[in-house]
Amino acid sequence: MIDQGPVGGDEERGETALQRVDRNWLELLQELRVLQTGIQILTGFLLTLPFQSRFSDLDAFQVTVYLVLVVLSALITALLLSTVIMHRTFFRLRIKETLVRNADRILRMTMLLVALVLVGTTGLIFDIVLNRTAGTITAGGLFVLILALWVVVPEMLKRRSVRAANPDAAPGMR
């Protein structure tokens, strides 16, 4: 994600504040492109399910989970598109820093929803194909894996990097 430090240039990179904001915007755009493609495929998959012959065999719980997943996928799409709307709205107003800050917030919120859709979709598929227990176990396992990969591992790597960059700092000062 984008740099979270105070606004200003980056002396190590030889960037001005404006160049830094431009770089951060380009990095966000790359992340948004990857996310948008993935969610479009997943949403497309979800939207085709009611047209499958076995869809009428779903129980009330499965239909409810399915409908929640469709709503979440639509919300994710709306959130991703909101960054485009913000860009168009802010165009030529020289407030790209505001755009970057808010797009970062939207992207973080979107990732949380993407995790829910991934977990829910996987759980629903295992529930339909095998049984409710398999669906629950698979969804729970995927939730733990996503939590580890998206939260725990990055936080550990960040702390290691900070320690490596500041080896003389006291433990509480890192």
Side-chain angles (χ1 to χ4, degrees), residues 7-10 15-25 94-97 100:
V7 177
D10 186 333
E15 295 179 321
T16 65
L18 185 56
Q19 289 170 327
R20 179 180 179 193
V21 170
D22 285 341
R23 176 179 51 81
N24 287 338
W25 176 243
R94 297 182 179 264
I95 55 173
K96 191 179 271 183
E97 180 188 338
V100 169

Side-chain angles (χ1 to χ4, degrees), residues 47 90 95 115 119:
L47 293 176
F90 296 178
I95 55 173
V119 167

Side-chain angles (χ1 to χ4, degrees), residues 61 119 122-124 126-127 131-142:
F61 173 79
V119 167
T122 303
L124 179 62
F126 274 75
D127 184 353
N131 57 50
R132 183 83 20 98
T133 302
T136 303
I137 291 170
T138 303
L142 183 57

Side-chain angles (χ1 to χ4, degrees), residues 65-130:
V65 170
Y66 167 76
L67 292 174
V68 168
L69 292 171
V70 169
V71 169
L72 287 175
S73 289
L75 180 57
I76 291 167
T77 301
L79 283 168
L80 291 174
L81 291 174
S82 72
T83 59
V84 174
I85 300 301
M86 281 194 317
H87 184 259
R88 287 291 95 211
T89 303
F90 296 178
F91 189 65
R92 293 190 177 159
L93 294 179
R94 297 182 179 264
I95 55 173
K96 191 179 271 183
E97 180 188 338
T98 301
L99 172 66
V100 169
R101 186 174 38 259
N102 287 296
D104 177 62
R105 290 177 183 150
I106 289 169
L107 185 55
R108 289 174 186 275
M109 187 179 350
T110 302
M111 292 304 296
L112 173 65
L113 296 175
V114 167
L116 293 175
V117 170
L118 290 174
V119 167
T121 302
T122 303
L124 179 62
I125 290 169
F126 274 75
D127 184 353
I128 292 168
V129 173
L130 297 176

Side-chain angles (χ1 to χ4, degrees), residues 50-68:
F51 303 103
Q52 304 302 315
S53 60
R54 285 192 58 197
F55 190 80
S56 60
D57 296 339
L58 298 183
D59 63 29
F61 173 79
Q62 293 166 331
V63 170
T64 301
V65 170
Y66 167 76
L67 292 174
V68 168

